[in-house]
Amino acid sequence: MNRILSSRATLKAVCSAKPELLIKGGASRHLHSSYDVAVVGAGIVGLASARELILRHPSLSFVLLEKEEQLATHQSGHNSGVVHSGIYYTPGSLKARLCVRGATLAYEYCEKKRVPYKRCGKLIVAVEQEEIPRLKALHDRGTKNNVRDLSLVDAKGIREREPYCRGILALDSPNTGIVDWRAVALSFGADFEEAGGTVVTEYEVSNISTAKESPAGSTEGMKYPISIRDKKGNEVRCRYVLTCGGLYSDRLSQISGCSPEPRIVPFRGDYLVLKPEKRFLVRGNIYPVPDPRFPFLGVHFTPRMDGGVWLGPNAVLAFKREGYKTCDFNARDFADALSFRGLQKLVLRNLTYGVGEMYRGVFIGAQIKILQKYIPELSLNDVLRGPAGVRAQALDRDGNLVDDFVFDGGVGDVGGRVLHVRNAPSPAATSSLAIAEMIADEVEGRFQL
């Protein structure tokens, strides 16, 4: 049975709710069969987009469909919790603009809604002489991106900010922060419901098609020509559909006749956590200087809103799209990934790196050795195995990481009424409110809302 979440939960209750405590409601509410716009996927991008659309168009009816029992349970609830500032991205690029604006909007939103956050800062630390030119290039890039208050600090400046960190030179970003992104996402959901939107959970979409007849008992004819069915046979009718499927964005797109590419390949990142008595070693975010030879950022130190400190993550192929444990396995997900030529090419180009990531995932002492470059006092006895996240990495057929936003529609009558967000690359959480503005603009342009 599908559940309709009650909109009567206060913002405080929503933001403080643990996954198992999220207010269920729905006993006295009924799912209407027809809406103007249906949004599929209640991760942070889907929730932010649904919120933005209903605030712009309060006279339209909206429904948000989510396959899980709770909202924001996957990438939005399994991430480092960093509010990024926009340092890494090509000046003038869409990612850079969205990240810088998104961070500003995120801080303003958290202030307005009283969602706790901390501007704890971030150091990108060079520990080798060869990293210094890349670090200075990052400083130039961040400055061109209008990232506020960036500065280069020497070894003494590093120790002043992070007493246990060692390095030659570091880029200091004091406006980088941390927040519980799931709390932010749930707050977006509360805004959506308070504005009149309907949220339906446990609705796993299996088909999006053009309806052949009007709903039974309807007097509105074919006003709602799109049929969205779930795996239990339930149906929602609507005029337009927006999908924000995250780890399943490629499969949702194929439902309406889109190309199977770019393909989503899941990469799991395993974290270590500092023992409580060792949390004093880290004050803010400590990151390495990115190595352009490798596809991912590298391990880092991240404080958490609950007072914990995460170390990592590594990056290994996940055998299940929503597999947060090493032993999690799904035959279809595994076969899809291994049979994709794009992944095969990526693996061949980064074979040594990939083997190293797997080794460090099994033998955490090897990961500690890398972390000790930044905090020499750290030891194997100071850490425990921690949580994991799965990243929805879009790949093209040549094995390139798709690093830009991808929108798609499909073919035929359905294609003109569906917009798929096929890729919303990292840092999608930081950029979510800015991304939502862009998506809403795209929806309005395509569907003439």
Side-chain angles (χ1 to χ4, degrees):
M1 181 178 179
N2 303 114
R3 299 188 314 145
I4 305 175
L5 300 184
S6 170
S7 61
R8 295 184 180 274
T10 63
L11 180 63
K12 180 178 179 180
V14 172
C15 290
S16 63
K18 296 181 180 179
E20 68 272 19
L21 298 179
L22 193 63
I23 294 176
K24 298 179 179 181
S28 62
R29 297 183 64 192
H30 300 282
L31 174 62
H32 299 290
S33 62
S34 302
Y35 297 85
D36 291 307
V37 180
V39 180
V40 179
I44 196 167
V45 172
L47 287 162
S49 300
R51 172 187 177 273
E52 179 71 18
L53 283 166
I54 200 169
L55 292 178
R56 291 191 189 189
H57 301 279
S59 63
L60 299 182
S61 56
F62 289 83
V63 64
L64 181 60
L65 305 175
E66 166 57 36
K67 73 181 181 68
E68 301 294 349
E69 185 179 358
Q70 307 291 338
L71 308 183
T73 57
H74 292 296
Q75 292 183 101
S76 305
H78 293 80
N79 58 69
S80 63
V82 176
V83 183
H84 293 280
S85 59
I87 295 170
Y88 299 104
Y89 317 116
T90 303
S93 67
L94 183 61
K95 280 188 71 170
R97 297 197 307 272
L98 290 174
C99 183
V100 173
R101 175 162 174 74
T104 299
L105 293 174
Y107 283 132
E108 291 175 353
Y109 182 86
C110 289
E111 282 285 344
K112 181 179 179 181
K113 297 292 185 175
R114 299 183 181 179
V115 178
Y117 71 92
K118 297 177 183 177
R119 291 187 198 245
C120 57
K122 171 179 175 178
L123 289 179
I124 303 175
V125 182
V127 295
E128 305 286 349
Q129 287 290 338
E130 66 183 25
E131 295 175 328
I132 290 178
R134 300 203 304 271
L135 186 68
K136 291 181 175 178
L138 279 181
H139 178 254
D140 291 341
R141 179 172 284 196
T143 301
K144 291 176 181 177
N145 285 338
N146 297 314
V147 178
R148 294 169 47 199
D149 302 326
L150 289 180
S151 63
L152 290 168
V153 297
D154 60 13
K156 180 181 178 182
I158 293 172
R159 289 193 298 274
E160 289 173 351
R161 292 160 176 80
E162 291 285 352
Y164 296 93
C165 182
R166 299 295 178 265
I168 304 169
L169 191 70
L171 179 56
D172 180 26
S173 173
N175 281 298
T176 298
I178 57 172
V179 73
D180 181 345
W181 283 118
R182 183 161 189 260
V184 175
L186 294 178
S187 182
F188 292 164
D191 293 345
F192 175 73
E193 288 196 292
E194 288 168 5
T198 300
V199 177
V200 183
T201 57
E202 297 179 87
Y203 197 100
E204 186 171 357
V205 173
S206 62
N207 188 52
I208 303 173
S209 61
T210 303
K212 294 180 173 57
E213 59 184 22
S214 60
S218 172
T219 60
E220 297 178 311
M222 294 299 287
K223 180 181 178 181
Y224 304 98
I226 301 300
S227 170
I228 306 174
R229 291 188 178 274
D230 72 357
K231 290 191 173 182
K232 302 172 186 175
N234 299 301
E235 181 185 40
V236 167
R237 297 284 287 271
C238 61
R239 293 166 59 207
Y240 304 106
V241 184
L242 169 67
T243 75
C244 302
L247 284 156
Y248 291 92
S249 61
D250 54 344
R251 293 181 184 171
L252 275 174
S253 301
Q254 289 178 69
I255 288 175
S256 62
C258 296
S259 166
E261 297 174 15
R263 184 78 63 85
I264 295 298
V265 177
F267 284 90
R268 192 183 71 252
D270 299 309
Y271 287 91
L272 305 175
V273 295
L274 276 181
K275 291 180 179 178
E277 63 270 22
K278 291 294 183 176
R279 291 173 180 173
F280 67 88
L281 291 172
V282 178
R283 290 180 175 177
N285 295 283
I286 302 173
Y287 275 60
V289 178
D291 191 329
R293 295 175 300 169
F294 304 133
F296 298 112
L297 188 59
V299 295
H300 43 271
F301 300 78
T302 305
R304 301 283 294 176
M305 288 301 299
D306 63 3
V309 179
W310 288 9
L311 319 178
N314 62 346
V316 296
L317 179 67
F319 301 148
K320 182 180 179 182
R321 292 202 179 196
E322 293 164 351
Y324 302 103
K325 299 177 182 178
T326 304
C327 58
D328 285 345
F329 179 83
N330 179 280
R332 180 185 177 188
D333 294 347
F334 185 62
D336 278 356
L338 288 191
S339 63
F340 181 46
R341 289 189 60 83
L343 177 63
Q344 296 166 9
K345 292 179 179 180
L346 178 69
V347 169
L348 289 174
R349 285 201 302 266
N350 298 278
L351 188 59
T352 302
Y353 174 82
V355 171
E357 289 291 281
M358 289 187 289
Y359 179 81
R360 287 185 288 273
V362 175
F363 301 101
I364 61 176
Q367 188 157 322
I368 293 296
K369 185 173 291 187
I370 295 176
L371 293 164
Q372 285 173 333
K373 293 180 180 180
Y374 305 92
I375 298 185
E377 286 84 353
L378 185 69
S379 73
L380 183 60
N381 292 327
D382 297 335
V383 303
L384 301 169
R385 288 191 181 273
V390 178
R391 174 175 178 168
Q393 180 60 58
L395 288 180
D396 65 21
R397 66 180 62 191
D398 295 320
N400 300 312
L401 307 186
V402 178
D403 204 30
D404 210 343
F405 294 86
V406 179
F407 294 122
D408 208 343
V411 297
D413 294 336
V414 173
R417 290 182 174 270
V418 178
L419 176 64
H420 298 291
V421 180
R422 298 199 58 163
N423 191 46
S426 179
T430 297
S431 306
S432 56
L433 287 171
I435 291 172
E437 293 176 336
M438 181 183 69
I439 290 173
D441 289 344
E442 187 75 16
V443 168
E444 289 174 339
R446 291 200 183 203
F447 303 150
Q448 299 297 305
L449 291 185

